[in-house]
Amino acid sequence: MPVLISPSLDEARKELVVGLEARKLVVMVASCSVEYSGRTGSHLGEGERLVIVKGDGCILVHRGHDYQPVNWQPSGCIIQAHANDGTLVLKAVRPSPLESLTLVVKEIQFLGSFVLQDAAEFILHASEEEMQRAIILQPDMIEPGFKILDFEKKVPPGFVDVYGVDRDGNIVVIEIKKDPAGFPVIKQLLEYLKYLQAPPGRKLRPMIVAPSIAKGSQSTLAKSGIEFKQLTLQKAVEILQKYARSDQQALKSWL
Amino acid sequence: MPVLISPSLDEARKELVVGLEARKLVVMVASCSVEYSGRTGSHLGEGERLVIVKGDGCILVHRGHDYQPVNWQPSGCIIQAHANDGTLVLKAVRPSPLESLTLVVKEIQFLGSFVLQDAAEFILHASEEEMQRAIILQPDMIEPGFKILDFEKKVPPGFVDVYGVDRDGNIVVIEIKKDPAGFPVIKQLLEYLKYLQAPPGRKLRPMIVAPSIAKGSQSTLAKSGIEFKQLTLQKAVEILQKYARSDQQALKSWL
């Protein structure tokens, strides 16, 4: 775990190259300017920032405030460091779509490279209830123009999770599963359909919303006439968080 | 800029408390487990992570891969550190909506606290063209069910930026501005309307898409019958990036 305090740019560059090659986590507090060029471009003048480079080729530039990075590139970049005209240039290039992030570093307070031992699994305590709430809050995630008519709608064999109408007036009958959708949920939804009917001239569109389709159930699903819409717990939770936050902002603007 | 290498948990806690009180940027590489509890919950078992706490009360927990943090809380949290049963507990609580992120730290490789001098402005090189592209790629951002019919549509006084239809069949005539929308764009759009007409039984809905309404133009806009839809350059660029990335993924799945 080499840690350099106020290194020269040349010392820093050498350590950076070693860290990048070893695919370590490199953390740097440095005075730099940042240029992004891709579909659009951006420029951030000189200032002190926290720079993070991970072994999978992503890079983040953080300012002293805000949880979001001011500039970043996703995993899979080619990241290179070289000296140029008395500065250290750190460049992260993604070949396609072509995007590049260039940091021109003038001074470094701190540079450390780390190996993180971390094999833990991330476990989300969310359930089908959260997925249902996410669909109700943002019906458009099912498809543009989709509207909720009811949820937990009683039918003799049970309850329809979400019951809505598409933009052509067809009835969409949604069953939600947090696990890969297999034969039991297909059967359950087909049971429900026996007790439901579309308005004249419209049709019933049965749909399973789940993170994936269970192995071996693909063809049964295809033959059943049931549509599949992917939704993961993670995505559902993100939608709920977005709404919790915007509710809060709306509330604040009234206070 | 105090930097501690493999400090004891007690040393680390003291430095952390000082850093938090001074609203510094605190960066820590530590072995910890992470619990989130809010609308939902999550659990991440023990492992080594990069932990970032900023002076505005946000916190990020990063693993060794992926540009996104595995857990985070936005600005405005109350962040506290205390010793508990041989561990260091770091807790970030947001009062409303009530959410808390708790790190139980067992060992620390590195802890540094920094003051970042950074007054630079972030400048986005984007234009109305990017805003137009974002609307064309994701028409739903205007409103659910909105569809594009044409863009750069020729009318005698100029070109309509985006021309579409809402879900009730009304014609939406959009003029885009990257700066606050004021009198000139209102006048321009009203000029265009003279040369456009809605199908029988439908209406024309003139709409300005811009980051904000110019000072003093609010009442003119209200009287004009023109709708306003907020879109910032930043948001437009995010949409374009999302599409650039998903295009790429779609492409990869064909290769």
Side-chain angles (χ1 to χ4, degrees):
Chain A
M1 184 199 48
V3 163
L4 307 177
I5 312 292
S6 302
S8 72
L9 292 180
D10 200 49
E11 282 175 294
R13 185 185 52 76
K14 282 175 191 156
E15 186 51 43
L16 197 50
V17 169
V18 171
L20 291 174
E21 275 176 9
R23 301 204 152 256
K24 286 184 178 181
L25 170 74
V26 179
V27 179
M28 192 164 79
V29 176
S31 185
C32 59
S33 60
V34 188
E35 302 289 330
Y36 164 76
S37 121
R39 175 77 192 87
T40 60
S42 71
H43 168 77
L44 179 65
E46 211 184 318
E48 290 175 339
R49 281 125 207 175
L50 172 67
V51 179
I52 300 162
V53 182
K54 295 190 183 182
D56 62 353
C58 68
I59 181 167
L60 304 162
V61 181
H62 273 278
R63 306 184 82 166
H65 53 87
D66 200 358
Y67 73 92
Q68 288 184 302
V70 62
N71 281 108
W72 57 278
Q73 287 275 70
S75 307
C77 287
I78 296 151
I79 301 180
Q80 289 179 311
H82 65 270
N84 182 36
D85 199 16
T87 67
L88 168 61
V89 176
L90 185 61
K91 197 161 183 155
V93 177
R94 214 156 72 108
S96 66
L98 185 62
E99 288 182 302
S100 76
L101 191 70
T102 307
L103 280 68
V104 177
V105 179
K106 292 242 176 101
E107 204 183 337
I108 300 179
Q109 283 191 48
F110 164 80
L111 187 149
S113 51
F114 305 91
V115 175
L116 302 185
Q117 303 292 345
D118 182 4
E121 193 188 350
F122 182 72
I123 298 159
L124 205 52
H125 306 310
S127 66
E128 282 148 18
E129 196 191 318
E130 273 75 40
M131 295 171 74
Q132 186 191 43
R133 259 185 79 86
I135 296 170
I136 293 167
L137 283 171
Q138 194 177 303
D140 262 24
M141 54 154 294
I142 295 297
E143 62 184 34
F146 175 68
K147 280 184 194 167
I148 309 289
L149 296 175
D150 199 359
F151 57 97
E152 298 298 325
K153 181 184 169 67
K154 182 97 189 78
V155 283
F159 297 87
V160 173
D161 288 333
V162 177
Y163 185 81
V165 60
D166 72 13
R167 63 175 140 193
D168 299 319
N170 301 309
I171 296 297
V172 183
V173 184
I174 296 178
E175 187 59 28
I176 299 168
K177 284 290 155 205
K178 71 176 173 59
D179 302 311
F183 186 64
V185 60
I186 296 173
K187 199 180 149 201
Q188 183 188 354
L189 189 47
L190 293 175
E191 272 303 306
Y192 289 0
L193 288 184
K194 293 181 188 166
Y195 301 90
L196 295 166
Q197 59 179 50
R202 314 296 183 184
K203 55 183 181 175
L204 281 179
R205 290 178 54 195
M207 184 184 288
I208 290 171
V209 174
S212 62
I213 299 167
K215 269 189 192 169
S217 297
Q218 207 105 25
S219 68
T220 312
L221 187 70
K223 280 178 218 149
S224 71
I226 295 175
E227 297 171 58
F228 172 75
K229 170 76 191 174
Q230 190 187 44
L231 178 65
T232 61
L233 281 175
Q234 181 69 46
K235 175 73 186 159
V237 167
E238 283 168 17
I239 292 171
L240 295 185
Q241 285 174 340
K242 195 182 77 181
Y243 275 83
R245 279 161 190 160
S246 58
D247 276 6
Q248 201 46 34
Q249 278 160 7
L251 191 64
K252 270 183 196 151
S253 73
W254 282 101
L255 296 176
Chain B
M1 184 198 48
V3 163
L4 307 176
I5 312 292
S6 302
S8 71
L9 291 181
D10 200 49
E11 282 175 294
R13 186 185 51 75
K14 282 175 191 157
E15 187 51 43
L16 197 49
V17 169
V18 170
L20 291 174
E21 276 176 8
R23 300 204 152 256
K24 286 185 178 181
L25 170 74
V26 179
V27 179
M28 192 164 79
V29 176
S31 185
C32 60
S33 60
V34 188
E35 302 289 330
Y36 165 75
S37 121
R39 174 79 192 86
T40 60
S42 71
H43 168 77
L44 180 65
E46 210 184 318
E48 290 175 339
R49 281 125 207 174
L50 172 67
V51 179
I52 299 163
V53 181
K54 295 191 184 182
D56 62 352
C58 67
I59 181 167
L60 304 162
V61 181
H62 273 278
R63 306 185 82 166
H65 53 88
D66 200 359
Y67 73 91
Q68 288 184 302
V70 62
N71 281 108
W72 58 277
Q73 287 275 70
S75 307
C77 287
I78 295 150
I79 301 180
Q80 289 179 312
H82 65 269
N84 182 36
D85 199 15
T87 67
L88 168 61
V89 176
L90 185 61
K91 197 161 182 157
V93 177
R94 213 156 72 109
S96 67
L98 185 62
E99 288 183 302
S100 76
L101 191 69
T102 307
L103 280 67
V104 177
V105 179
K106 293 241 176 102
E107 205 182 336
I108 300 179
Q109 283 190 48
F110 164 80
L111 187 148
S113 50
F114 305 91
V115 175
L116 301 185
Q117 303 291 345
D118 182 4
E121 193 188 351
F122 182 72
I123 298 159
L124 204 52
H125 306 309
S127 66
E128 282 149 18
E129 196 191 319
E130 273 75 39
M131 295 172 74
Q132 186 191 43
R133 260 185 78 86
I135 296 170
I136 293 167
L137 284 170
Q138 194 178 303
D140 262 25
M141 54 155 289
I142 295 297
E143 63 185 32
F146 175 67
K147 280 184 194 166
I148 309 290
L149 296 175
D150 199 359
F151 57 97
E152 298 298 325
K153 181 183 168 67
K154 182 95 189 79
V155 283
F159 297 88
V160 174
D161 288 332
V162 177
Y163 185 81
V165 60
D166 72 13
R167 62 174 140 194
D168 299 318
N170 301 310
I171 296 297
V172 183
V173 184
I174 295 177
E175 187 59 28
I176 298 169
K177 284 291 155 206
K178 72 176 172 58
D179 301 312
F183 186 65
V185 60
I186 296 173
K187 197 179 152 202
Q188 182 187 354
L189 189 47
L190 293 175
E191 273 302 306
Y192 289 0
L193 288 184
K194 294 181 187 166
Y195 301 90
L196 296 166
Q197 60 179 50
R202 314 296 184 185
K203 55 183 181 175
L204 281 179
R205 289 178 54 195
M207 184 184 289
I208 291 171
V209 173
S212 62
I213 299 167
K215 269 189 192 170
S217 297
Q218 207 105 25
S219 67
T220 312
L221 187 70
K223 280 178 219 148
S224 71
I226 295 175
E227 296 171 58
F228 172 75
K229 170 77 191 172
Q230 190 187 44
L231 177 65
T232 61
L233 281 175
Q234 181 69 45
K235 175 73 186 160
V237 167
E238 283 168 17
I239 292 171
L240 295 184
Q241 285 174 341
K242 195 181 77 181
Y243 275 82
R245 278 160 191 162
S246 58
D247 277 6
Q248 202 46 33
Q249 278 160 7
L251 191 64
K252 270 184 195 151
S253 73
W254 283 101
L255 296 176

